[in-house]
Amino acid sequence: MHDTASSSLSGRTLRSTQSLLEAKLITPEQASALEEVARRYATAIPPAFQRLITSPDDPIARQVVPDARELRTMPHESEDPIGDEALSPVPGIVHRYEDRALLKPLLVCPLYCRFCFRREHVGPDGGLLGKEALETAFHWIETHPQIREIILTGGDPLMLSPRRMRHIIQRLSSISHIDIIRIHSRVPVAAPERLTTELLDAMETDRALWMVAHINHARELTDEARLAVRQMLGRGIPVLSQSVLLRGVNDTTESLEALLRALIAARIKPYYLHHLDSAPGTAHFHVPVEEGRALLESLRGRVSGLVWPTYVVDIPGGKGKVPLGPDYLVSTPAGKSSSSSQARGPDGKPYPFT
């Protein structure tokens, strides 16, 4: 641990401007502006992330330490960039795709990412979906038989108590048309100690249960995080990853390759690499899409297909996720046979194929 962050090893989650000052993650000169940021967006840096910070501007700190630039909202940014609210038929449910729906049982996280697309809504006061509202959400799922998959998100579902997690998993498992339950979480890297035997027991189900861990930098995969992943795998829970392409965090060939290799070495299948959602005050994290495509293209031929994620954008307004490439088909001239087609190889040169 670098001296600038040595006092952050407190064993407690940093939540205030004063605690960030004491941890030497911000300077006194920054404190006034960051108090204004704190009035709008929650801060939480748990011990597992504090231990990884080597300087206030390293790739871990950038993700979680408040920044005065968060107070600048750009014209293209939105409080609901992917249309959650417009597509919520009842509290706690988001229905964007025909065969699946999100269930948000709480809006609390172990840490608060500075680029989060739900940053206007999550926080320590987010609380739980109440008993009546949760039952209304279950009833909505029951009366929509086209729904085959439920994605537990929030907030972070692994912040639930084992008792409440067990109730939700069992209730979903009792709905005949639900085949898949998916949990999206930052807990495996942000608070791996929460993955207790009791919580793992609570996730037991006869349905296909998948875990998608949100991981943006190779250093997040500590020994403790890897152990948490092994425990899930040992319960028969496959683990995928989603990452956000972030300026100053994973926006170089070297850092992105290191992340993808660390994921697959931990038996986590890279799933999505997200283009940044346009939440307010996040423009300083933005990586242009052509740069993102070029980054992935630079890895073609360098890493195995097992390591390759799908680069996606969640189209604003709730229009859904679509892949962004890169593309390797050079041409198939109109009216010509497929033998005229060409594809670019990993060396960048075009080659014919049939």
Side-chain angles (χ1 to χ4, degrees), residues 128-257:
L128 297 166
L129 200 62
K131 184 177 179 181
E132 276 190 31
L134 188 58
E135 191 52 44
T136 298
F138 289 138
H139 178 70
W140 184 91
I141 296 167
E142 287 174 324
T143 56
H144 288 75
Q146 75 272 30
I147 303 295
R148 310 294 296 273
E149 179 177 358
I150 293 295
I151 298 144
L152 292 177
T153 181
D156 195 313
L158 295 188
M159 294 296 285
L160 292 166
S161 68
R163 179 189 61 81
R164 189 168 287 261
M165 175 66 81
R166 180 176 292 104
H167 171 66
I168 290 171
I169 295 296
Q170 289 182 350
R171 190 71 172 78
L172 291 173
S173 300
S174 73
I175 301 173
S176 61
H177 53 87
I178 298 303
D179 299 324
I180 302 167
I181 301 170
R182 199 195 319 168
I183 298 175
H184 282 230
S185 178
R186 200 84 156 104
V187 160
V189 293
E193 70 280 358
R194 287 195 59 84
L195 274 163
T196 61
T197 298
E198 191 178 6
L199 186 59
L200 288 164
D201 287 344
M203 291 188 278
E204 183 62 37
T205 175
D206 61 353
R207 305 307 162 95
L209 190 145
W210 293 70
M211 182 68 61
V212 181
H214 179 171
I215 304 169
N216 298 316
H217 195 273
R219 277 176 29 213
E220 296 176 35
L221 284 159
T222 61
D223 289 344
E224 293 81 6
R226 289 170 182 265
L227 176 59
V229 170
R230 286 199 302 273
Q231 289 172 328
M232 289 185 287
L233 293 170
R235 297 294 187 107
I237 303 171
V239 183
L240 309 176
S241 75
Q242 63 174 9
S243 306
V244 182
L245 184 59
L246 299 166
R247 178 67 76 206
V249 176
N250 53 23
D251 60 331
T252 66
T253 299
E254 294 74 22
S255 60
L256 187 56
E257 180 178 353

Side-chain angles (χ1 to χ4, degrees), residues 331-333 336-342 351-354:
S331 63
T332 302
K336 300 287 185 70
S337 70
S338 62
S339 61
S340 303
S341 298
Q342 292 184 324
Y351 297 96
F353 69 94
T354 57

Side-chain angles (χ1 to χ4, degrees), residues 14 36 52 101 216 223 225 236 256 273 279 293-294:
L14 306 179
E36 190 175 347
L52 298 178
N216 298 316
D223 289 344
L256 187 56
L273 176 65
R293 285 161 57 94

